Amino acid sequence: MYTVTDNGVLKTLEAWSVIVPLHDNDGNPFERATVDAILQEILLNYPGFSVTSTLGYWKGSEQVFVDRNYQVLIDAVPDPNSDSSKFFANLKGNFRRG
């Protein structure tokens, strides 16, 4: 969506950042097929994205944990016919390991 202003052209985008962990809380790696399925599901609903490798740190009661993750960066033109918040909540639910 583009808007012409006195200062030029303004493009309105939705920006999403999704963290995809590569290991569970016990340090066991998720299957590559599961990670690929998450990325494929996002690609089916958005025209493209960027992936960066990230580390996450969190402190437990007795130790510091380090998580390896993918950060998926998605920029998309807002669509009044879709609800991105609902999509990402459902995506998380679909891939949550129980």
Side-chain angles (χ1 to χ4, degrees):
M1 170 182 300
Y2 293 94
T3 305
V4 178
T5 68
D6 291 337
N7 297 325
V9 177
L10 176 68
K11 184 175 183 180
T12 304
L13 292 173
E14 280 185 346
W16 290 89
S17 175
V18 177
I19 302 297
V20 179
L22 301 179
H23 296 83
D24 66 16
N25 288 342
D26 295 323
N28 301 310
F30 292 116
E31 292 183 18
R32 182 65 198 192
T34 300
V35 174
D36 288 345
I38 293 168
L39 299 176
Q40 183 65 29
E41 185 70 23
I42 295 169
L43 192 56
L44 289 172
N45 288 275
Y46 293 90
F49 55 81
S50 298
V51 177
T52 61
S53 183
T54 62
L55 294 176
Y57 293 83
W58 56 281
K59 188 168 47 170
S61 60
E62 309 240 345
Q63 73 182 73
V64 173
F65 297 89
V66 179
D67 295 330
R68 290 186 319 129
N69 309 292
Y70 283 160
Q71 181 180 19
V72 184
L73 304 169
I74 306 146
D75 289 333
V77 175
D79 182 352
N81 298 318
S82 71
D83 183 350
S84 294
S85 297
K86 188 179 218 177
F87 168 77
F88 289 113
N90 288 338
L91 181 70
K92 181 178 181 180
N94 290 343
F95 288 99
R96 175 171 271 156
R97 203 184 241 185

Coordinates of all heavy atoms in Angstrom, one line a residue:
M1 N 0.9 -1.1 0.0 CA 0.0 0.0 0.0 C 0.9 1.2 0.0 O 1.8 1.4 0.8 CB -0.9 0.0 1.2 CG -1.7 1.2 1.5 SD -2.7 1.2 3.0 CE -3.7 -0.2 2.6
Y2 N 0.7 2.1 -1.0 CA 1.5 3.3 -1.1 C 0.6 4.5 -0.8 O -0.5 4.5 -1.2 CB 2.1 3.4 -2.5 CG 3.2 2.4 -2.8 CD1 2.8 1.2 -3.4 CD2 4.5 2.6 -2.4 CE1 3.8 0.2 -3.6 CE2 5.4 1.6 -2.6 CZ 5.1 0.4 -3.3 OH 6.0 -0.5 -3.5
T3 N 1.2 5.5 -0.2 CA 0.5 6.8 0.1 C 1.4 7.9 -0.4 O 2.6 7.9 0.0 CB 0.2 7.0 1.6 OG1 -0.6 5.8 2.0 CG2 -0.7 8.2 1.8
V4 N 0.9 8.8 -1.2 CA 1.7 10.0 -1.6 C 1.5 11.1 -0.6 O 0.4 11.4 -0.2 CB 1.2 10.4 -3.0 CG1 2.0 11.7 -3.4 CG2 1.4 9.3 -4.0
T5 N 2.6 11.6 -0.1 CA 2.6 12.7 0.9 C 3.4 13.9 0.3 O 4.0 13.8 -0.7 CB 3.2 12.2 2.2 OG1 4.6 12.0 2.0 CG2 2.6 11.0 2.8
D6 N 3.4 15.0 1.1 CA 4.1 16.1 0.6 C 5.6 15.8 0.6 O 6.4 16.5 -0.1 CB 3.9 17.3 1.6 CG 2.5 17.9 1.4 OD1 1.8 17.7 0.4 OD2 2.0 18.5 2.4
N7 N 6.0 14.9 1.4 CA 7.5 14.5 1.5 C 7.9 13.4 0.6 O 9.0 12.9 0.7 CB 7.8 14.2 3.0 CG 7.6 15.3 3.9 OD1 7.9 16.5 3.5 ND2 7.2 15.1 5.1
G8 N 6.9 12.8 -0.2 CA 7.3 11.7 -1.0 C 6.2 10.6 -0.9 O 5.1 10.8 -0.6
V9 N 6.7 9.4 -1.2 CA 5.8 8.2 -1.2 C 6.1 7.5 0.0 O 7.2 7.2 0.4 CB 6.1 7.4 -2.5 CG1 5.2 6.1 -2.4 CG2 5.8 8.2 -3.7
L10 N 5.0 7.1 0.7 CA 5.1 6.3 1.9 C 4.5 4.9 1.7 O 3.4 4.8 1.2 CB 4.3 7.0 3.0 CG 4.2 6.4 4.4 CD1 5.6 6.3 5.1 CD2 3.2 7.1 5.3
K11 N 5.3 3.9 2.0 CA 4.8 2.6 1.9 C 4.5 2.0 3.3 O 5.3 2.0 4.2 CB 5.9 1.7 1.2 CG 5.4 0.3 0.9 CD 6.4 -0.5 0.2 CE 5.9 -1.9 -0.2 NZ 6.8 -2.7 -0.9
T12 N 3.3 1.5 3.4 CA 2.8 1.0 4.7 C 3.1 -0.5 4.7 O 2.6 -1.2 3.8 CB 1.3 1.2 5.0 OG1 1.1 2.7 4.9 CG2 0.9 0.8 6.3
L13 N 3.8 -1.0 5.7 CA 4.1 -2.5 5.8 C 3.7 -3.0 7.2 O 3.8 -2.2 8.2 CB 5.5 -2.7 5.6 CG 6.1 -2.5 4.2 CD1 7.6 -2.7 4.2 CD2 5.5 -3.5 3.2
E14 N 3.4 -4.2 7.3 CA 3.4 -4.9 8.6 C 4.7 -5.5 8.7 O 5.3 -6.1 7.8 CB 2.4 -6.1 8.6 CG 0.9 -5.8 8.7 CD 0.1 -7.0 8.8 OE1 0.5 -8.1 8.5 OE2 -1.1 -6.9 9.2
A15 N 5.3 -5.4 9.9 CA 6.6 -6.1 10.2 C 6.4 -7.1 11.3 O 5.9 -6.8 12.4 CB 7.7 -5.0 10.6
W16 N 6.8 -8.3 11.0 CA 6.7 -9.4 12.0 C 8.1 -10.0 12.2 O 8.9 -10.1 11.3 CB 5.8 -10.5 11.5 CG 4.4 -10.0 11.4 CD1 3.7 -9.4 10.4 CD2 3.4 -10.1 12.5 NE1 2.4 -9.1 10.8 CE2 2.2 -9.5 12.1 CE3 3.5 -10.7 13.8 CZ2 1.1 -9.5 12.9 CZ3 2.4 -10.6 14.6 CH2 1.2 -10.0 14.1
S17 N 8.4 -10.4 13.4 CA 9.6 -11.1 13.8 C 9.2 -12.4 14.5 O 8.5 -12.3 15.5 CB 10.5 -10.3 14.6 OG 11.6 -11.0 15.1
V18 N 9.6 -13.6 14.0 CA 9.2 -14.8 14.6 C 10.5 -15.6 14.9 O 11.4 -15.7 14.1 CB 8.4 -15.7 13.5 CG1 8.0 -17.0 14.1 CG2 7.1 -14.9 13.1
I19 N 10.5 -16.0 16.2 CA 11.7 -16.8 16.6 C 11.3 -18.3 16.5 O 10.3 -18.7 17.1 CB 12.1 -16.5 18.1 CG1 12.4 -15.0 18.2 CG2 13.2 -17.3 18.6 CD1 13.5 -14.5 17.4
V20 N 12.1 -19.0 15.8 CA 12.0 -20.5 15.6 C 13.1 -21.2 16.4 O 14.3 -21.1 15.9 CB 11.9 -20.9 14.1 CG1 11.8 -22.4 14.0 CG2 10.8 -20.1 13.4
P21 N 12.8 -21.8 17.5 CA 13.9 -22.5 18.2 C 14.4 -23.7 17.5 O 13.6 -24.4 16.8 CB 13.3 -22.9 19.6 CG 11.8 -22.9 19.3 CD 11.6 -21.9 18.2
L22 N 15.7 -24.0 17.5 CA 16.2 -25.1 16.9 C 16.4 -26.3 17.8 O 16.7 -27.4 17.3 CB 17.6 -24.8 16.3 CG 17.5 -23.6 15.2 CD1 18.9 -23.3 14.7 CD2 16.6 -23.9 14.1
H23 N 16.2 -26.1 19.1 CA 16.3 -27.2 20.1 C 15.2 -27.0 21.1 O 14.7 -25.9 21.4 CB 17.6 -27.1 20.9 CG 18.8 -27.3 20.0 ND1 19.4 -26.4 19.2 CD2 19.5 -28.5 19.8 CE1 20.4 -26.9 18.6 NE2 20.5 -28.1 18.9
D24 N 14.8 -28.1 21.8 CA 13.8 -28.0 22.9 C 14.5 -27.6 24.2 O 15.7 -27.4 24.2 CB 13.0 -29.3 23.0 CG 13.8 -30.5 23.5 OD1 14.9 -30.3 24.0 OD2 13.3 -31.6 23.3
N25 N 13.7 -27.5 25.2 CA 14.3 -27.0 26.5 C 15.3 -28.0 27.1 O 16.1 -27.6 28.0 CB 13.1 -26.8 27.5 CG 12.3 -25.6 27.2 OD1 12.7 -24.7 26.4 ND2 11.1 -25.5 27.7
D26 N 15.3 -29.2 26.7 CA 16.3 -30.2 27.1 C 17.6 -30.2 26.2 O 18.5 -31.0 26.5 CB 15.7 -31.6 27.2 CG 14.6 -31.6 28.3 OD1 14.8 -31.0 29.3 OD2 13.6 -32.3 28.1
G27 N 17.6 -29.4 25.2 CA 18.7 -29.3 24.3 C 18.7 -30.3 23.1 O 19.6 -30.3 22.3
N28 N 17.6 -31.0 23.0 CA 17.4 -31.9 21.9 C 17.0 -31.2 20.6 O 16.1 -30.4 20.6 CB 16.3 -33.0 22.2 CG 16.7 -33.7 23.5 OD1 17.8 -34.2 23.6 ND2 15.7 -33.8 24.4
P29 N 17.7 -31.4 19.5 CA 17.4 -30.6 18.3 C 16.0 -31.1 17.7 O 15.6 -32.2 17.8 CB 18.5 -31.0 17.3 CG 19.1 -32.3 17.8 CD 18.8 -32.3 19.3
F30 N 15.3 -30.1 17.2 CA 14.1 -30.4 16.4 C 14.5 -30.9 15.1 O 15.6 -30.6 14.6 CB 13.2 -29.1 16.2 CG 12.6 -28.6 17.5 CD1 13.0 -27.4 18.0 CD2 11.7 -29.4 18.2 CE1 12.4 -26.9 19.2 CE2 11.2 -28.9 19.4 CZ 11.5 -27.6 19.9
E31 N 13.7 -31.8 14.5 CA 14.0 -32.4 13.2 C 14.0 -31.2 12.2 O 13.2 -30.3 12.2 CB 12.9 -33.4 12.8 CG 12.9 -34.6 13.7 CD 11.9 -35.7 13.3 OE1 11.4 -35.6 12.1 OE2 11.6 -36.6 14.1
R32 N 14.9 -31.4 11.3 CA 15.1 -30.3 10.2 C 13.7 -30.2 9.4 O 13.3 -29.1 9.0 CB 16.2 -30.7 9.3 CG 16.5 -29.7 8.2 CD 16.9 -28.4 8.8 NE 16.7 -27.4 7.8 CZ 17.2 -26.2 7.9 NH1 17.9 -25.8 8.9 NH2 17.0 -25.3 6.9
A33 N 13.0 -31.3 9.2 CA 11.8 -31.3 8.5 C 10.7 -30.4 9.2 O 9.9 -29.7 8.6 CB 11.2 -32.7 8.3
T34 N 10.8 -30.4 10.6 CA 9.8 -29.6 11.3 C 10.1 -28.1 11.1 O 9.2 -27.3 10.9 CB 9.9 -29.9 12.8 OG1 9.5 -31.3 13.0 CG2 8.9 -29.1 13.7
V35 N 11.4 -27.7 11.2 CA 11.8 -26.3 11.0 C 11.5 -25.9 9.6 O 10.9 -24.8 9.4 CB 13.3 -26.2 11.3 CG1 13.8 -24.8 11.0 CG2 13.6 -26.5 12.8
D36 N 11.8 -26.8 8.6 CA 11.5 -26.5 7.2 C 10.0 -26.3 7.0 O 9.5 -25.4 6.3 CB 12.0 -27.5 6.3 CG 13.5 -27.5 6.2 OD1 14.1 -26.5 6.6 OD2 14.1 -28.5 5.7
A37 N 9.2 -27.1 7.7 CA 7.7 -27.0 7.6 C 7.2 -25.7 8.1 O 6.3 -25.1 7.5 CB 7.0 -28.2 8.3
I38 N 7.8 -25.2 9.2 CA 7.4 -23.9 9.7 C 7.7 -22.8 8.7 O 6.9 -21.9 8.4 CB 8.1 -23.6 11.1 CG1 7.6 -24.6 12.2 CG2 8.0 -22.1 11.5 CD1 8.5 -24.6 13.4
L39 N 8.9 -22.8 8.2 CA 9.3 -21.8 7.2 C 8.4 -21.9 5.9 O 8.0 -20.9 5.4 CB 10.8 -22.0 6.8 CG 11.8 -21.8 8.0 CD1 13.2 -22.1 7.5 CD2 11.7 -20.4 8.6
Q40 N 8.1 -23.1 5.5 CA 7.3 -23.3 4.3 C 5.9 -22.7 4.6 O 5.3 -22.1 3.7 CB 7.2 -24.8 4.0 CG 6.4 -25.1 2.7 CD 7.0 -24.5 1.5 OE1 8.2 -24.3 1.3 NE2 6.2 -24.1 0.5
E41 N 5.3 -23.0 5.8 CA 4.0 -22.5 6.1 C 4.0 -20.9 6.1 O 3.0 -20.3 5.6 CB 3.6 -22.9 7.5 CG 2.2 -22.6 7.9 CD 1.1 -23.3 7.2 OE1 1.4 -24.4 6.6 OE2 0.0 -22.8 7.1
I42 N 5.0 -20.3 6.6 CA 5.1 -18.8 6.5 C 5.2 -18.4 5.0 O 4.5 -17.5 4.6 CB 6.3 -18.3 7.3 CG1 6.1 -18.6 8.8 CG2 6.5 -16.8 7.0 CD1 7.4 -18.3 9.6
L43 N 6.0 -19.1 4.2 CA 6.1 -18.7 2.8 C 4.8 -18.9 2.0 O 4.6 -18.1 1.1 CB 7.3 -19.5 2.2 CG 7.7 -19.0 0.8 CD1 8.2 -17.6 0.8 CD2 8.9 -19.9 0.3
L44 N 4.0 -19.8 2.4 CA 2.7 -20.0 1.8 C 1.8 -18.9 2.0 O 0.8 -18.7 1.3 CB 2.1 -21.3 2.2 CG 2.7 -22.6 1.7 CD1 2.1 -23.8 2.4 CD2 2.6 -22.7 0.2
N45 N 2.0 -18.1 3.1 CA 1.1 -17.1 3.5 C 1.6 -15.7 3.3 O 0.9 -14.7 3.4 CB 0.7 -17.3 5.0 CG -0.3 -18.4 5.1 OD1 -1.5 -18.3 5.0 ND2 0.3 -19.6 5.4
Y46 N 2.9 -15.5 3.1 CA 3.6 -14.2 2.9 C 4.5 -14.4 1.7 O 5.0 -15.4 1.4 CB 4.3 -13.8 4.1 CG 3.4 -13.6 5.3 CD1 3.0 -14.6 6.1 CD2 2.8 -12.3 5.5 CE1 2.1 -14.3 7.2 CE2 1.9 -12.1 6.5 CZ 1.6 -13.1 7.3 OH 0.7 -12.8 8.3
P47 N 4.7 -13.2 1.0 CA 5.5 -13.3 -0.3 C 7.0 -13.6 -0.1 O 7.7 -14.0 -1.0 CB 5.3 -12.0 -0.9 CG 4.9 -11.1 0.2 CD 4.2 -11.9 1.2
G48 N 7.5 -13.4 1.1 CA 8.9 -13.7 1.3 C 9.3 -13.3 2.7 O 8.6 -12.7 3.5
F49 N 10.6 -13.6 3.1 CA 11.1 -13.3 4.4 C 12.6 -13.5 4.4 O 13.2 -14.0 3.5 CB 10.4 -14.2 5.5 CG 10.5 -15.7 5.3 CD1 11.7 -16.3 5.6 CD2 9.5 -16.4 4.8 CE1 11.8 -17.7 5.4 CE2 9.6 -17.8 4.6 CZ 10.8 -18.4 4.9
S50 N 13.2 -13.0 5.5 CA 14.6 -13.2 5.7 C 14.8 -14.0 7.0 O 14.0 -13.9 7.9 CB 15.3 -11.8 5.9 OG 15.2 -11.0 4.7
V51 N 15.9 -14.8 7.0 CA 16.2 -15.6 8.2 C 17.6 -15.3 8.7 O 18.5 -15.2 7.9 CB 16.1 -17.1 7.9 CG1 16.4 -17.9 9.1 CG2 14.7 -17.5 7.4
T52 N 17.7 -15.0 10.0 CA 19.0 -14.8 10.6 C 19.1 -15.9 11.7 O 18.2 -16.3 12.3 CB 19.2 -13.4 11.2 OG1 18.2 -13.2 12.2 CG2 19.0 -12.4 10.1
S53 N 20.4 -16.2 12.0 CA 20.7 -17.2 13.1 C 20.9 -16.3 14.3 O 21.7 -15.3 14.3 CB 21.9 -18.0 12.7 OG 22.2 -18.9 13.7
T54 N 20.2 -16.6 15.4 CA 20.3 -15.8 16.6 C 20.6 -16.7 17.8 O 20.3 -17.9 17.8 CB 19.0 -15.0 16.9 OG1 17.9 -15.9 17.0 CG2 18.7 -14.1 15.7
L55 N 21.0 -16.1 18.9 CA 21.2 -16.7 20.2 C 20.2 -16.1 21.1 O 20.1 -14.8 21.1 CB 22.6 -16.6 20.7 CG 23.7 -17.4 20.0 CD1 25.1 -17.0 20.6 CD2 23.4 -18.9 20.0
G56 N 19.6 -16.8 22.0 CA 18.8 -16.3 23.1 C 19.4 -16.7 24.4 O 19.8 -17.9 24.6
Y57 N 19.4 -15.8 25.4 CA 19.9 -16.2 26.7 C 18.8 -16.0 27.7 O 18.0 -15.0 27.6 CB 21.0 -15.2 27.1 CG 22.3 -15.4 26.2 CD1 22.4 -14.8 25.0 CD2 23.3 -16.2 26.7 CE1 23.5 -15.0 24.2 CE2 24.5 -16.3 26.0 CZ 24.6 -15.7 24.7 OH 25.7 -15.9 24.0
W58 N 18.6 -16.9 28.6 CA 17.7 -16.7 29.7 C 18.2 -17.4 31.0 O 19.0 -18.4 30.9 CB 16.3 -17.3 29.3 CG 16.2 -18.7 28.9 CD1 16.6 -19.2 27.6 CD2 15.8 -19.8 29.6 NE1 16.3 -20.5 27.6 CE2 15.9 -20.9 28.8 CE3 15.3 -20.0 30.9 CZ2 15.5 -22.2 29.2 CZ3 14.9 -21.3 31.3 CH2 15.0 -22.4 30.4
K59 N 17.9 -16.8 32.1 CA 18.4 -17.2 33.3 C 17.4 -18.0 34.1 O 16.3 -17.6 34.4 CB 18.9 -16.0 34.1 CG 19.6 -16.3 35.4 CD 20.3 -15.1 36.1 CE 19.5 -13.9 36.2 NZ 20.1 -12.9 37.1
G60 N 17.8 -19.3 34.5 CA 17.0 -20.1 35.3 C 17.4 -19.8 36.8 O 18.2 -19.0 37.0
S61 N 16.9 -20.6 37.7 CA 17.2 -20.4 39.1 C 18.7 -20.7 39.4 O 19.3 -20.1 40.3 CB 16.3 -21.2 40.0 OG 16.4 -22.6 39.7
E62 N 19.3 -21.6 38.7 CA 20.7 -22.1 39.0 C 21.7 -21.9 37.8 O 22.9 -22.1 38.1 CB 20.6 -23.5 39.4 CG 19.6 -23.8 40.5 CD 20.2 -24.3 41.8 OE1 21.4 -24.7 41.7 OE2 19.5 -24.3 42.8
Q63 N 21.2 -21.6 36.6 CA 22.1 -21.5 35.5 C 21.6 -20.6 34.4 O 20.4 -20.3 34.4 CB 22.4 -22.9 35.0 CG 21.3 -23.5 34.2 CD 21.6 -24.9 33.7 OE1 21.7 -25.9 34.5 NE2 21.8 -25.1 32.4
V64 N 22.5 -20.3 33.5 CA 22.1 -19.5 32.3 C 22.0 -20.4 31.2 O 22.9 -21.3 30.9 CB 23.1 -18.4 32.0 CG1 22.8 -17.7 30.7 CG2 23.2 -17.4 33.2
F65 N 20.9 -20.3 30.4 CA 20.6 -21.2 29.2 C 20.9 -20.3 28.0 O 20.6 -19.1 27.9 CB 19.2 -21.7 29.2 CG 18.9 -22.6 30.4 CD1 18.4 -22.0 31.6 CD2 19.0 -23.9 30.3 CE1 18.1 -22.8 32.6 CE2 18.7 -24.7 31.4 CZ 18.3 -24.2 32.5
V66 N 21.4 -21.0 27.0 CA 21.7 -20.4 25.7 C 20.9 -21.2 24.6 O 21.1 -22.4 24.5 CB 23.2 -20.3 25.3 CG1 23.4 -19.7 24.0 CG2 23.9 -19.6 26.4
D67 N 20.0 -20.5 23.9 CA 19.2 -21.1 22.8 C 19.7 -20.7 21.5 O 19.9 -19.5 21.3 CB 17.7 -20.7 23.0 CG 17.1 -21.2 24.2 OD1 17.5 -22.2 24.8 OD2 16.2 -20.5 24.7
R68 N 19.8 -21.6 20.6 CA 20.1 -21.3 19.2 C 18.7 -21.3 18.4 O 17.9 -22.2 18.6 CB 21.0 -22.3 18.5 CG 22.4 -22.2 19.1 CD 23.4 -23.1 18.3 NE 22.9 -24.4 18.0 CZ 22.9 -25.0 16.8 NH1 23.5 -24.4 15.8 NH2 22.4 -26.2 16.7
N69 N 18.5 -20.2 17.7 CA 17.2 -20.0 17.0 C 17.4 -19.5 15.6 O 18.5 -19.0 15.2 CB 16.4 -18.9 17.8 CG 16.3 -19.2 19.2 OD1 15.7 -20.1 19.7 ND2 17.0 -18.3 20.0
Y70 N 16.3 -19.5 14.8 CA 16.2 -18.7 13.6 C 15.3 -17.6 14.0 O 14.3 -17.8 14.6 CB 15.6 -19.5 12.5 CG 16.5 -20.5 11.8 CD1 16.0 -21.5 11.0 CD2 17.9 -20.4 11.8 CE1 16.8 -22.4 10.4 CE2 18.7 -21.3 11.2 CZ 18.1 -22.3 10.4 OH 18.9 -23.2 9.8
Q71 N 15.7 -16.4 13.5 CA 14.7 -15.3 13.6 C 14.2 -15.0 12.2 O 15.1 -14.8 11.3 CB 15.4 -14.0 14.1 CG 14.5 -12.8 14.2 CD 15.1 -11.6 14.8 OE1 16.3 -11.5 14.8 NE2 14.3 -10.7 15.3
V72 N 12.9 -15.1 12.0 CA 12.3 -14.9 10.7 C 11.8 -13.5 10.6 O 10.9 -13.2 11.5 CB 11.2 -16.0 10.4 CG1 10.7 -15.8 9.0 CG2 11.8 -17.4 10.6
L73 N 12.2 -12.7 9.7 CA 11.8 -11.3 9.5 C 10.9 -11.2 8.3 O 11.3 -11.6 7.2 CB 13.0 -10.4 9.4 CG 14.0 -10.5 10.5 CD1 15.3 -9.8 10.2 CD2 13.4 -10.0 11.8
I74 N 9.6 -10.8 8.6 CA 8.6 -10.8 7.5 C 8.1 -9.3 7.4 O 7.6 -8.8 8.4 CB 7.5 -11.7 7.9 CG1 8.0 -13.1 8.2 CG2 6.4 -11.7 6.8 CD1 7.2 -13.8 9.2
D75 N 8.2 -8.8 6.2 CA 7.5 -7.5 5.9 C 6.5 -7.8 4.9 O 6.7 -8.4 3.8 CB 8.5 -6.5 5.3 CG 9.5 -6.0 6.3 OD1 9.2 -6.0 7.5 OD2 10.6 -5.6 5.9
A76 N 5.3 -7.3 5.1 CA 4.1 -7.6 4.2 C 3.2 -6.4 4.2 O 3.1 -5.6 5.1 CB 3.4 -8.8 4.7
V77 N 2.6 -6.2 3.0 CA 1.6 -5.1 2.9 C 0.4 -5.6 3.7 O -0.1 -6.7 3.6 CB 1.2 -4.9 1.4 CG1 0.1 -3.9 1.2 CG2 2.5 -4.5 0.6
P78 N -0.2 -4.7 4.6 CA -1.3 -5.1 5.3 C -2.5 -5.5 4.4 O -2.7 -4.9 3.4 CB -1.7 -3.8 6.1 CG -0.4 -3.0 6.1 CD 0.3 -3.4 4.8
D79 N -3.2 -6.6 4.8 CA -4.3 -7.1 4.1 C -5.5 -7.1 5.0 O -5.6 -7.8 6.0 CB -4.0 -8.5 3.6 CG -5.1 -9.1 2.8 OD1 -6.2 -8.5 2.7 OD2 -4.9 -10.2 2.2
P80 N -6.5 -6.2 4.7 CA -7.7 -6.2 5.5 C -8.5 -7.5 5.6 O -9.3 -7.7 6.5 CB -8.5 -5.0 4.9 CG -8.1 -4.9 3.5 CD -6.6 -5.4 3.5
N81 N -8.2 -8.4 4.6 CA -8.9 -9.7 4.6 C -8.2 -10.8 5.4 O -8.7 -11.9 5.4 CB -9.1 -10.1 3.2 CG -10.0 -9.1 2.4 OD1 -11.0 -8.6 2.9 ND2 -9.6 -8.8 1.2
S82 N -7.0 -10.5 6.0 CA -6.3 -11.5 6.7 C -6.0 -11.0 8.1 O -5.8 -9.8 8.3 CB -5.1 -12.0 6.0 OG -4.1 -11.0 6.0
D83 N -5.8 -11.9 9.0 CA -5.4 -11.5 10.4 C -4.1 -12.1 10.7 O -4.0 -13.3 11.1 CB -6.5 -11.9 11.4 CG -6.2 -11.5 12.8 OD1 -5.1 -11.0 13.1 OD2 -7.1 -11.7 13.6
S84 N -3.0 -11.4 10.6 CA -1.6 -11.9 10.8 C -1.5 -12.4 12.2 O -0.8 -13.4 12.4 CB -0.6 -10.9 10.5 OG -0.6 -10.6 9.1
S85 N -2.0 -11.7 13.2 CA -1.9 -12.2 14.6 C -2.5 -13.6 14.8 O -1.9 -14.4 15.4 CB -2.6 -11.2 15.5 OG -2.1 -9.9 15.5
K86 N -3.6 -13.8 14.2 CA -4.2 -15.1 14.3 C -3.4 -16.2 13.6 O -3.2 -17.3 14.0 CB -5.6 -15.1 13.7 CG -6.5 -16.3 13.9 CD -7.8 -16.1 13.3 CE -8.9 -16.8 14.1 NZ -10.2 -16.6 13.6
F87 N -2.9 -15.8 12.4 CA -2.0 -16.8 11.6 C -0.8 -17.2 12.5 O -0.6 -18.4 12.6 CB -1.5 -16.1 10.3 CG -0.4 -17.0 9.7 CD1 -0.7 -18.1 9.0 CD2 0.9 -16.6 9.8 CE1 0.3 -18.9 8.4 CE2 1.9 -17.3 9.2 CZ 1.6 -18.5 8.5
F88 N -0.1 -16.3 13.1 CA 1.1 -16.6 13.9 C 0.7 -17.4 15.1 O 1.5 -18.3 15.6 CB 2.0 -15.4 14.1 CG 2.6 -14.9 12.9 CD1 2.3 -13.7 12.3 CD2 3.6 -15.7 12.2 CE1 2.9 -13.3 11.1 CE2 4.2 -15.3 11.0 CZ 3.9 -14.1 10.5
A89 N -0.4 -17.0 15.8 CA -0.8 -17.8 17.0 C -1.2 -19.2 16.6 O -0.8 -20.2 17.3 CB -2.0 -17.1 17.6
N90 N -1.8 -19.4 15.4 CA -2.2 -20.8 15.0 C -0.9 -21.5 14.6 O -0.8 -22.7 14.9 CB -3.1 -20.7 13.8 CG -4.5 -20.3 14.2 OD1 -4.9 -20.5 15.3 ND2 -5.3 -19.8 13.2
L91 N 0.0 -20.8 14.0 CA 1.3 -21.5 13.6 C 2.0 -22.0 14.8 O 2.5 -23.2 14.8 CB 2.2 -20.5 12.8 CG 3.5 -21.0 12.3 CD1 3.3 -22.0 11.2 CD2 4.4 -19.9 11.9
K92 N 2.1 -21.2 15.8 CA 2.7 -21.6 17.1 C 2.0 -22.8 17.7 O 2.7 -23.8 18.1 CB 2.7 -20.5 18.1 CG 3.4 -20.8 19.4 CD 3.4 -19.6 20.3 CE 4.1 -19.9 21.6 NZ 4.1 -18.8 22.5
G93 N 0.7 -22.8 17.7 CA -0.1 -23.9 18.2 C 0.1 -25.2 17.4 O 0.2 -26.3 18.0
N94 N 0.2 -25.1 16.1 CA 0.4 -26.2 15.2 C 1.7 -26.9 15.4 O 1.8 -28.2 15.2 CB 0.2 -25.9 13.8 CG -1.2 -25.5 13.4 OD1 -2.1 -25.8 14.2 ND2 -1.4 -24.8 12.3
F95 N 2.7 -26.2 15.8 CA 4.1 -26.8 15.9 C 4.6 -26.9 17.3 O 5.7 -27.4 17.5 CB 5.1 -26.0 15.0 CG 4.9 -26.1 13.6 CD1 4.2 -25.2 12.8 CD2 5.3 -27.3 12.9 CE1 4.0 -25.4 11.5 CE2 5.1 -27.5 11.6 CZ 4.4 -26.5 10.8
R96 N 3.8 -26.6 18.3 CA 4.2 -26.7 19.7 C 4.3 -28.2 20.0 O 3.5 -29.0 19.7 CB 3.2 -26.1 20.6 CG 3.5 -26.3 22.1 CD 2.6 -25.5 22.9 NE 3.3 -24.3 23.1 CZ 2.7 -23.1 23.4 NH1 1.4 -23.1 23.6 NH2 3.3 -22.0 23.5
R97 N 5.4 -28.5 20.6 CA 5.7 -29.9 21.0 C 5.1 -30.2 22.3 O 5.3 -29.4 23.3 CB 7.2 -30.1 21.0 CG 7.6 -31.6 20.9 CD 9.1 -31.7 21.0 NE 9.7 -32.2 19.8 CZ 11.0 -32.5 19.7 NH1 11.8 -32.3 20.8 NH2 11.5 -33.0 18.6
G98 N 4.3 -31.2 22.5 CA 3.5 -31.4 23.7 C 4.1 -32.4 24.6 O 4.7 -33.3 24.7

